[in-house]
Amino acid sequence: MAQTDMIFAGFGGQGIQAAGKLIAYAGILEDKHVSFLPSYGPEMRGGTSNCHVIVSDEPIGSPILNSAAVVMAMNRPSMDKFESYLEPGGILIYDSSLVNREPARKDIKAFGIPATQIASDMGNLAFANIILLGKLIKETGVVSAGSFESGLRKVLPERKHHLIPDEMKALRIGMDY
Amino acid sequence: MRETQMHYCPGCTHGIVHRLIAEVIDELGVEGKTIGVSPVGCAYNNYLYFNCDMVQAAHGRAPAVATGIKRVHPDNVVFTYQGDGDLAAIGTAEIIHAANRGEKITTIFINNAIYGMTSGQMAPTTLIGQVTTTSPFGRKPELHGYPLNVCEMLSTLKGAAYVERVSMHDIKNIRNAKNAIKKAFKVQIAGLGFSIVEVLSSCPTNWGTDPVNALKWIGEKMIPQYPLGNFKGKDLEV
Amino acid sequence: MGEKILMKGNEVIAEAALRAGCRHYFGYPITPQTEIAHYFAKKMPQYGGTFIQAESEVAAMNMVYGAASAGARVMTSSSSPGISLKQEAISYAACAELPAVIVNIMRAGPGLGGILAAQSDYFQATKGGGHGDYRMVVLAPSSVQELYELVVEAFNIADRYRTLCMIMGDGMLGQMMEAVEFKDKEDIYQADKSWAVTGTEMKRDHNIITSIYIDPEVLEKHNLKLQEKYRKIAENETRVEAYNCDGADVIVAAYGTVARIIKNVIKTAEKEGIKVGLIRPITLWPFPAAAFEKYAEVPQAFLTVEMSSGQMVEDVRLAVNGKRPVHFLGRMGGMIPTQKEILEKIREILK
Ligand SMILES: Cc1ncc(C[n+]2csc(CCOP(=O)(O)OP(=O)(O)O)c2C)c(N)n1
Ligand code: SF4
Ligand SMILES: [Mg+2]
């Protein structure tokens, strides 16, 4: 049985929830079972935001994760909090423009990408999460880039569809980093 | 005030109002006999910020809780701190009857035209046309009724001794606000009846704007609906 | 069936209600179920229905009382503290035999408590949170898909028996997104609502909706009628899922989201050679006692897992009736029982 447990975390406004939803949507398009559980309430006012996402070949038990195979951290507090959630051999993907430390764990695979810097060079900070998702897709194979693109089409309102080519470019940058 | 970091969003004026209340309590020298009642709303845990004794009340019920406290300790200074959802929606019965009984308490009423805590729903004080999460097409009188002017309404009650509306949108008004809060407390201490200060306050987060424009919005949009000034008790000598 | 879409539990509740023909919703904001109202606020105008943000939960539930009296399919929703405020009108509506759906997306209490998931309103929902001898049907979905199906069903049950029907979920279920597949058309029970107040148009005797019966003999008779109705509901509407129970070493009783955690535990325990069964009540009232009676002598012991201090466990004990020990594991305050601690408890029980 293949099941991928993922935690996405960062500041509110970095597109954390959107990142989790995009992976979940791509999973549905591949006929997989998915669950997406956001953090909610005043917890979010403090500025941090996270979500638990599961993509699985079988019906999903608990939507809440006590550990994860994949953590995507978009700021330092998120990495501090969730690095320890990783299972041995797990994958940590983080925005090295904003996380000013190396991962502490030696039993995981870690990939730091200066996503915010790259996105800023591309002229749109909102691509940072997509760049990191590119790396996540590449390293985990949880969904394909093709389903990701179809997912984007579903999630984005028509009036934003012109952004899709650029989003896919950002995804590829992440995949090839 | 206690030395703790407040939990409000950047540009939220809840924190400023807290400071004014704390300064007034200090200047009147009544910290040791003041008891405050916290609401349900973004200020739910403002009991952490005041040095005086504090009680946390159920949503809208602060005036009733304050009544209970005041009747046990008539010589203490009792105040409630309430939002517009808390006071003007679910707690309308409690505030009207506390005022009408001439309950010797002081209410600080934060009107930000929105439910802040629960993510931006329409409040009774929401302006006509204002978009909120429960009035996504703007507040429409035929569906949602009209903005509720609390000071105007309460000032018709005999038990209400002092009623004033102030605003947080600039320094001058913040200074006026402090004077009003001080007078409201003095009216209570003099045993003259119920006193309330309504404070026009910002919620940049749920208004979908930045702190600077939020203050501008108070000045340009809220004040025409909620005129500032005294509605009752202007000439009380305290 | 249409395509699968990713939707939040709370939004699915509102969408399901619209599909079930509900055109009247009255509510008051409270976390973690505010998205239900947001969804209705956006969609109701399209359907020509009514969405009112009431001044309080007390008012919202009385608006439901009025709309149900008038013969409409009507719903309200809230979370624990708000549900407490609805109790007066719930008792009145039960007595007046009004059909309506109430959603409780539970959060941790007592008091203002917290906003995270809990199951501590089981007693309130199943044993009568308001006064008097009444019951309401309580449905406890454990996935977003089931949430959709049970909301539609709740409206049908409400109309079929002229009863209140509660959907009990928790913050996790309300906030989570899962794939949901809507039917092209819902099965909607068409009730005869000739009892409703619609105006006599001078063509019939007046209809009265009331919950006051001053004469004790009349009131007792009315109560007997209610009890007979509840007996019928228990006979026809009890729902339960029994999973992996034959030959189980331990049978766990859990409902809602907690039951999902147990399904993970079942897989892990299997690897250790422990067979864990699950009895998941889908109706909390009527309680599926028969399922427990059926398996009462199968396992070495039962274990009830709840996000409460132990509420449903009382019904499990009554149903198992001393035939096997019934253990309990609970977390409170918004804490969620982990697979690890449940598995440890099972090992300890089997020792
Ligand atoms: C009985 C009950 N109903 C609803 C809520 C949810 N709730 C918490 S705060 C709030 C509204 C707060 O709005 P307001 O009073 O305007 O305060 P603000 O956050 O804007 O300062 C509501 C409805 C609750 N806690 N209890
Ligand atoms: S949500 Fe609004 S009222 Fe609440 S703290 Fe933030 S800015 Fe202030
Ligand atoms: Mg407010």
Side-chain angles (χ1 to χ4, degrees), chain B residues 83-85 110-116 123:
Chain B
D84 42 9
I110 305 299
N111 178 356
N112 57 9
I114 201 104
Y115 284 47

Short mmCIF file of all heavy atoms in Angstrom, two decimals, chain B residues 83-85 110-116 123, ligand 3:
data_model
loop_
_atom_site.label_atom_id
_atom_site.label_comp_id
_atom_site.label_asym_id
_atom_site.label_seq_id
_atom_site.Cartn_x
_atom_site.Cartn_y
_atom_site.Cartn_z
N GLY B 83 -17.06 43.77 22.38
CA GLY B 83 -17.10 44.07 20.95
C GLY B 83 -18.53 44.29 20.48
O GLY B 83 -19.49 44.17 21.26
N ASP B 84 -18.67 44.57 19.19
CA ASP B 84 -20.01 44.89 18.68
C ASP B 84 -20.85 43.64 18.42
O ASP B 84 -22.08 43.71 18.44
CB ASP B 84 -19.94 45.76 17.42
CG ASP B 84 -18.86 45.35 16.45
OD1 ASP B 84 -18.26 44.28 16.64
OD2 ASP B 84 -18.61 46.10 15.50
N GLY B 85 -20.19 42.50 18.17
CA GLY B 85 -20.97 41.27 18.10
C GLY B 85 -21.45 40.92 19.49
O GLY B 85 -22.62 40.59 19.72
N ILE B 110 -16.32 48.32 21.88
CA ILE B 110 -15.46 48.41 20.70
C ILE B 110 -16.27 48.13 19.44
O ILE B 110 -16.62 47.00 19.14
CB ILE B 110 -14.30 47.40 20.79
CG1 ILE B 110 -13.53 47.58 22.09
CG2 ILE B 110 -13.37 47.53 19.58
CD1 ILE B 110 -12.88 48.94 22.26
N ASN B 111 -16.54 49.21 18.71
CA ASN B 111 -17.28 49.08 17.46
C ASN B 111 -16.29 49.05 16.29
O ASN B 111 -15.71 50.07 15.94
CB ASN B 111 -18.26 50.26 17.33
CG ASN B 111 -19.03 50.23 16.02
OD1 ASN B 111 -18.80 49.37 15.17
ND2 ASN B 111 -19.96 51.17 15.86
N ASN B 112 -16.09 47.85 15.72
CA ASN B 112 -15.23 47.75 14.54
C ASN B 112 -16.02 47.25 13.33
O ASN B 112 -15.46 46.76 12.35
CB ASN B 112 -13.99 46.88 14.81
CG ASN B 112 -14.36 45.49 15.29
OD1 ASN B 112 -15.53 45.10 15.28
ND2 ASN B 112 -13.37 44.72 15.72
N ALA B 113 -17.34 47.32 13.43
CA ALA B 113 -18.23 47.04 12.29
C ALA B 113 -18.07 45.63 11.74
O ALA B 113 -18.38 45.37 10.58
CB ALA B 113 -18.03 48.07 11.18
N ILE B 114 -17.59 44.71 12.60
CA ILE B 114 -17.31 43.36 12.10
C ILE B 114 -17.16 42.39 13.27
O ILE B 114 -16.91 42.82 14.40
CB ILE B 114 -16.00 43.37 11.26
CG1 ILE B 114 -15.92 42.18 10.30
CG2 ILE B 114 -14.76 43.36 12.14
CD1 ILE B 114 -16.19 42.52 8.89
N TYR B 115 -17.31 41.10 12.99
CA TYR B 115 -16.89 40.07 13.95
C TYR B 115 -15.43 39.76 13.64
O TYR B 115 -15.14 39.13 12.63
CB TYR B 115 -17.71 38.79 13.77
CG TYR B 115 -19.11 38.84 14.32
CD1 TYR B 115 -19.93 39.92 14.07
CD2 TYR B 115 -19.60 37.80 15.12
CE1 TYR B 115 -21.22 39.98 14.58
CE2 TYR B 115 -20.89 37.85 15.63
CZ TYR B 115 -21.69 38.93 15.36
OH TYR B 115 -22.96 38.98 15.86
N GLY B 116 -14.53 40.24 14.47
CA GLY B 116 -13.11 40.02 14.20
C GLY B 116 -12.70 38.59 14.45
O GLY B 116 -12.18 37.90 13.58
N ALA B 123 -21.59 42.30 11.42
CA ALA B 123 -22.02 42.66 12.78
C ALA B 123 -23.25 43.54 12.65
O ALA B 123 -23.53 44.05 11.57
CB ALA B 123 -20.90 43.40 13.51
MG MG D 3 -16.33 43.53 16.38
#
